[in-house]
Amino acid sequence: MRIFQKGFNFSQDGPGNRLVYHLSGCNMRCIWCSNPEGMRADAGIDYALEELLDECIRSRMLFFSGGGVTFTGGEATVQYEELSRLLKMLKKAGIHTAIETNGTSLHLQELLEDIDYLMMDFKHYDSDILKRYTGVGNEQVKYNFEENCRKKRKQHIRIPLIRHINSEHPEEFAKYFSAFDTQNTVFEFLPYHEYGKEKWVDTYQVKDGFITEAQQKEFEAIFKQYGLQIVRT
């Protein structure tokens, strides 16, 4: 498994204190990406799965407050075969697993059988607009979201809010989500930031992407009007 970054983080990458692995490679090219170095599949270092399993087991005492291991990226599901094998190994070892994903994987439903906590981005309700800014449409993202609702699977949907890209139409998001059974779904809004701007080798394309606290609260209020559950982490 190829990893470009790893370390511990509390509550931001799933419940409790977690060992977070950033897997190399991504099928999207989001123009606001905070980890552009992880887009390349050849970035980082190769690890044997047994080596990573051993590291996770040795770290078990640090998984306090319901913590465990989180896989993110890049896009973790790009390394589907390695990820699937390691998830099964961790499940057998009794270690809590989480994934942060863009939701585009054809294999996500299979992977979720061995994942305890799902965090999935939903960047735009309009497939053409999403493709314009990321290179990929939202058809598979919608499928995975809807399938999780149908299966009553717990999911944490995260919506990055970026001015001029997706922050102008909160009701369109809410209308789409509210058409499904979201009793086991929570939604979180992630205001645009520029933490990864200096890491871009190419020209950073987002202009004036910041939103206000009032805009975020408007999203939260409209989602609540539609009966959708909101969280802040």
Side-chain angles (χ1 to χ4, degrees):
M1 178 177 282
R2 183 165 282 259
I3 295 169
F4 71 90
Q5 182 178 316
K6 61 179 179 176
F8 280 89
N9 199 2
F10 183 79
S11 80
Q12 295 300 304
D13 299 280
N17 201 46
R18 310 194 69 82
L19 176 54
V20 182
Y21 291 113
H22 290 258
L23 276 61
S24 306
C26 188
N27 61 320
M28 280 187 162
R29 293 295 181 266
C30 304
I31 65 172
W32 58 85
C33 183
S34 59
N35 291 312
E37 73 277 25
M39 290 181 181
R40 291 175 28 234
D42 61 351
I45 300 172
D46 282 322
Y47 294 87
L49 298 185
E50 291 75 16
E51 181 182 1
L52 295 175
L53 175 64
D54 179 66
E55 182 174 54
C56 294
I57 291 173
R58 287 187 288 105
S59 301
R60 195 192 296 266
M61 67 178 64
L62 299 175
F63 298 154
F64 53 83
S65 300
V69 177
T70 296
F71 297 97
T72 182
E75 170 52 41
T77 61
V78 168
Q79 298 188 49
Y80 161 70
E81 292 185 1
E82 295 86 349
L83 179 59
S84 178
R85 288 169 56 199
L86 184 52
L87 284 169
K88 292 182 185 305
M89 294 161 73
L90 291 169
K91 185 173 184 178
K92 186 175 181 180
I95 293 174
H96 187 277
T97 58
I99 187 172
E100 296 179 295
T101 177
N102 60 29
T104 61
S105 176
L106 297 171
H107 301 290
L108 184 59
Q109 295 302 315
E110 302 162 44
L111 290 170
L112 287 175
E113 298 301 321
D114 296 307
I115 293 171
D116 297 305
Y117 194 85
L118 167 66
M119 292 162 283
M120 190 171 81
D121 285 357
F122 196 103
K123 306 174 197 292
H124 212 292
Y125 58 85
D126 186 296
S127 189
D128 291 334
I129 295 176
L130 180 65
K131 190 170 185 178
R132 184 189 313 164
Y133 293 109
T134 71
V136 181
N138 70 7
E139 292 83 2
Q140 189 64 29
V141 183
K142 284 185 172 181
Y143 170 81
N144 283 319
F145 168 76
E146 294 169 17
E147 189 70 0
N148 290 336
C149 290
R150 187 184 69 80
K151 293 178 178 177
K152 302 187 185 303
R153 178 175 273 138
K154 290 183 179 180
Q155 56 183 339
H156 182 156
I157 300 298
R158 303 181 310 175
I159 304 172
L161 295 182
I162 307 151
R163 190 177 181 190
H164 306 308
I165 294 178
N166 71 350
S167 67
E168 284 73 30
H169 305 288
E171 195 155 1
E172 295 301 322
F173 277 98
K175 283 180 180 178
Y176 167 73
F177 291 129
S178 64
F180 303 96
D181 181 353
T182 59
Q183 62 178 311
N184 292 319
T185 303
V186 296
F187 298 88
E188 181 177 20
F189 303 106
L190 307 177
Y192 170 77
H193 60 74
E194 294 184 341
Y195 299 152
K197 183 177 181 179
E198 300 303 319
K199 295 190 286 185
W200 277 78
V201 176
D202 300 327
T203 301
Y204 190 76
Q205 298 180 47
V206 179
K207 308 295 183 185
D208 190 27
F210 292 100
I211 67 162
T212 65
E213 175 70 13
Q215 286 175 299
Q216 181 172 349
K217 286 183 176 178
E218 180 187 14
F219 262 84
E220 292 176 346
I222 289 175
F223 270 51
K224 287 177 182 177
Q225 288 173 15
Y226 277 83
L228 303 169
Q229 303 175 73
I230 305 300
V231 295
R232 285 198 182 196
T233 59

